[in-house]
């Protein structure tokens, strides 16, 4: 028991905070996983249906691995035993090496060694078919191949399509789950048309603001702490649907609360945790930001301001915005009107590697759309710009209130 009477053991609570929020590692327990109910149900159905497999794809960091880790956990029953095997693909993998990783994790009861030992030559789709067919009728083998986007070997992708076709003949019910970063399935699967009924597409969007709030509030409750509604809004806003930020902000604002011996997290504590959250972000994000905004020959420039304006700009479902839409926020940031002609150069430069390739440009002349190359960039820019004073709190508040209104509650 942490609390003795009304005394709180702050040291113990601090440790609990560190254990509770997990910016970084994927979730492994159903109880720790927020939202995504419909997708979980769909994946469970696929695991039960015969000859059905799934490919989970979406932006970096939306929670794909976590979902693949937990969706099957409550499928175990008296008549069904889940046999889960998860492996990560890497850029050098071939069909043989991927399945060798899986085979290293399987040993049939009558055998002395793991399966890979029985395949001195290259593993082919038919070998996989035959081995997976050996699982019992009361078993639900679920093979998860994560980081599937990293495979560069075209033959591997073709053979994987062949395997999925072949598995339709399996006498039992093995399920293959492929997971990768992609905007659409064509980036990951060859000849998808031929297996579209067997390989179900599971596109994964960012989390809703309610789901992000759920990530935070369940953890705060677990810690027997409280968080104000305003503070919860802040975390949801800064996270922009990316659970990493929710964990990071939750962790640091709770740690700050513990530091000042408070059991309630308020807006001020969330704002004071931004600096720690910024430091927590992937090095490559911070590095690209520095590149994008750096001064050349010590000459002042407005790259940081343009980037902050982009991060504040309203965007469509795909995160895209036009140059014209940046005018409003940039003019507010600069304190004087700025038209597209004054910053289109900056937008273009930031699509180049010399400026960290932070932006991508799509579409044709006059209808160009921009979006952040890395989804994690936008929340980072807002937090960093506030910390560095590029974005004044009053300007931020005006856009914050606007965005908050458009959030679905
Ligand atoms: N539903 C969820 N509830 C709570 N936390 C989550 C949830 N989904 C993901 N997270 C957290 O978000 C972070 C990113 O999750 P995860 O690694 O699963 O994403 P990913 O899409 O696989 O990322 P990547 O594209 O880098 O492989 C982790 O800190 C994880 O703990
Ligand atoms: Mg992952």
């Amino acid at each position: 028991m942490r609390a003795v009477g009304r005394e709180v053991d702050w040291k113990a609570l601090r440790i609990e905070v560190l254990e509770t929020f997990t910016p970084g590692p994927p979730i492994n327990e159903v109880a720790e996983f927020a939202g995504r109910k419909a997708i979980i149900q769909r994946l469970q159905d696929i695991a039960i249906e015969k000859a059905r497999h799934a490919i989970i794809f979406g932006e970096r960091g939306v929670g794909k691995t976590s979902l693949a880790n937990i969706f099957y956990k409550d499928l175990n029953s008296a008549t069904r035993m889940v046999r889960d095997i998860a492996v990560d693909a890497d850029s050098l993998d071939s069909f043989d090496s991927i399945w060798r990783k899986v085979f290293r994790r399987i040993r049939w009861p009558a055998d002395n060694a793991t399966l890979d030992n029985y395949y001195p030559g290259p593993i082919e789709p038919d070998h996989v078919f035959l081995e997976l067919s050996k699982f019992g009728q009361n078993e639900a083998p679920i093979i998860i191949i994560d980081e599937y986007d990293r495979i560069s070997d075209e033959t591997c992708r073709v053979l994987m399509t062949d395997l999925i076709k072949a598995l339709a003949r399996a006498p039992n019910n093995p399920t293959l789950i492929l997971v990768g970063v992609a905007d659409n399935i064509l980036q990951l699967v060859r000849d998808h048309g031929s297996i579209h009924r067997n390989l179900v597409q599971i596109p994964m969007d960012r989390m809703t603001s309610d789901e992000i709030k759920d990530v935070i509030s369940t953890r705060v409750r677990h810690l027997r702490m409280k968080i104000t509604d305003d503070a919860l809004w802040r975390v949801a806003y800064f996270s922009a649907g990316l659970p990493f930020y929710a964990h990071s902000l939750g962790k640091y604002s709770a740690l700050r609360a513990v530091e000042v011996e408070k059991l309630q997290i308020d807006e001020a504590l969330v704002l004071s945790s931004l600096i720690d959250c910024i430091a927590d972000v992937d090095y490559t994000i911070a590095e690209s930001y520095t590149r994008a905004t750096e001064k050349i020959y010590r000459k002042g420039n407005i790259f940081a301001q343009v980037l902050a304006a982009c991060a504040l700009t309203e965007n469509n479902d795909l995160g895209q915005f036009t140059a014209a839409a940046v005018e409003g926020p940039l003019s507010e940031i600069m304190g004087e009107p700025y038209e597209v002609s004054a910053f289109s150069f900056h937008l273009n430069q930031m699509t180049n590697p010399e400026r960290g390739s932070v932006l991508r440009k799509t579409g044709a002349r006059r209808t160009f759309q921009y979006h952040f190359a890395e989804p994690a960039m936008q929340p980072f820019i807002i937090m960093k710009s506030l910390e560095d004073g590029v974005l004044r709190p009053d300007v931020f508040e005006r856009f914050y209130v606007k965005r908050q209104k458009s959030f679905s509650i």
Side-chain angles (χ1 to χ4, degrees):
M1 199 56 198
R2 172 158 49 76
V4 183
R6 287 178 59 221
E7 284 292 302
V8 176
D9 182 345
W10 297 105
K11 227 170 147 182
L13 181 56
R14 193 171 181 283
I15 290 168
E16 267 189 78
V17 170
L18 294 173
E19 288 166 348
T20 303
F21 291 100
T22 55
I27 301 283
N28 261 315
E29 300 297 329
V30 177
E32 291 168 10
F33 187 89
R36 311 280 196 196
K37 297 277 178 286
I39 295 190
I40 292 175
Q41 185 63 61
R42 248 182 111 199
L43 283 168
Q44 290 189 345
D45 291 352
I46 289 164
I48 291 167
E49 288 163 3
K50 287 213 159 191
R52 298 265 273 177
H53 312 275
I55 177 147
I56 303 171
F57 61 96
E59 288 178 314
R60 193 171 296 289
V62 288
K64 302 178 295 297
T65 301
S66 302
L67 173 70
N69 280 348
I70 62 99
F71 81 88
Y72 56 83
K73 295 221 168 167
D74 56 8
L75 278 180
N76 280 307
S77 69
T79 53
R80 186 179 40 237
M81 176 87 94
V82 173
R83 300 284 184 209
D84 56 299
I85 297 166
V87 296
D88 286 333
D90 61 56
S91 51
L92 295 177
D93 268 325
S94 59
F95 186 87
D96 171 75
S97 65
I98 280 280
W99 285 97
R100 202 161 282 285
K101 287 182 197 174
V102 176
F103 282 9
R104 267 185 218 121
R105 289 158 175 80
I106 301 175
R107 188 167 71 83
W108 300 124
D111 290 347
N112 295 323
T114 52
L115 265 186
D116 55 305
N117 290 288
Y118 297 89
Y119 291 90
I123 298 171
E124 296 165 11
D126 195 45
H127 298 141
V128 177
F129 170 84
L130 290 171
E131 293 295 350
L132 295 185
S133 298
K134 291 183 190 164
F135 281 97
Q137 290 298 336
N138 60 346
E139 289 178 304
I142 296 178
I143 318 288
I144 298 162
I145 303 181
D146 200 351
E147 313 268 333
Y148 194 71
D149 54 291
R150 299 188 64 192
I151 297 176
S152 51
D153 179 13
E154 280 300 306
T155 316
C156 173
R157 296 190 182 195
V158 173
L159 294 178
M160 207 64 90
T161 299
D162 292 346
L163 171 65
I164 287 169
K165 267 187 229 166
L167 283 175
R169 286 182 183 280
N172 54 354
N173 190 15
T175 304
L176 205 57
I177 307 284
L178 309 178
V179 184
V181 177
D183 307 330
N184 69 64
I185 188 161
L186 298 174
Q187 295 168 345
L188 297 175
V189 180
R190 288 294 151 265
D191 194 16
H192 176 247
S194 70
I195 48 166
H196 77 275
R197 259 176 283 113
N198 305 107
L199 185 66
V200 181
Q201 301 185 42
I202 309 280
M204 229 177 143
D205 294 330
R206 293 192 188 185
M207 296 179 86
T208 63
S209 122
D210 275 351
E211 285 174 327
I212 292 284
K213 286 181 187 172
D214 200 26
V215 170
I216 299 297
S217 47
T218 49
R219 285 167 173 78
V220 169
R221 221 175 302 128
H222 169 82
L223 293 164
R224 280 148 292 165
M225 293 176 77
K226 290 202 165 102
I227 181 162
T228 65
D229 284 349
D230 289 342
L232 211 48
W233 265 117
R234 291 276 171 188
V235 176
Y237 176 86
F238 285 123
S239 304
L242 297 170
F244 163 84
Y245 286 108
H247 281 272
S248 182
L249 289 167
K251 169 173 133 181
Y252 289 114
S253 45
L255 286 178
R256 296 241 164 192
V258 171
E259 229 172 84
V260 294
E261 305 200 342
K262 273 184 168 181
L263 284 172
Q264 174 158 292
I265 298 168
D266 58 20
E267 258 184 298
L269 284 171
V270 173
L271 291 173
S272 73
S273 73
L274 294 188
I275 191 157
D276 300 309
C277 179
I278 292 169
D280 225 10
V281 167
D282 195 317
Y283 171 75
T284 56
I285 299 286
E287 166 79 7
S288 323
Y289 179 85
T290 307
R291 281 198 157 205
T293 56
E294 102 194 312
K295 287 185 184 151
I296 295 176
Y297 304 124
R298 296 210 212 136
K299 255 175 72 187
N301 65 48
I302 59 162
F303 281 99
Q305 286 78 359
V306 174
L307 213 46
C310 292
L312 282 182
T313 301
E314 294 267 354
N315 47 39
N316 66 14
D317 287 349
L318 299 173
Q320 298 166 323
F321 53 86
T322 60
V326 181
E327 278 182 347
L330 185 59
S331 303
E332 292 262 1
I333 289 170
M334 302 301 289
E336 56 179 314
Y338 261 71
E339 290 184 3
V340 173
S341 55
F343 61 86
S344 57
F345 163 79
H346 299 81
L347 292 180
N348 276 322
Q349 285 288 301
M350 288 192 285
T351 63
N352 295 332
E354 303 83 69
R355 288 269 171 207
S357 306
V358 283
L359 292 179
R360 292 256 163 82
K361 184 159 86 172
T362 50
R365 228 176 132 76
R366 289 182 200 288
T367 57
F368 282 135
Q369 299 262 23
Y370 294 88
H371 66 270
F372 288 104
E374 275 296 330
M377 199 52 160
Q378 188 258 349
F380 177 83
I381 294 167
I382 299 227
M383 293 190 243
K384 178 88 172 118
S385 308
L386 275 171
E387 273 305 308
D388 292 353
V390 169
L391 186 56
R392 286 198 321 275
D394 60 307
V395 173
F396 169 66
E397 289 308 322
R398 277 202 289 285
F399 285 91
Y400 171 70
V401 171
K402 217 165 121 191
R403 190 75 73 86
Q404 190 164 316
K405 277 195 195 129
S406 62
F407 259 142
S408 56
I409 305 181

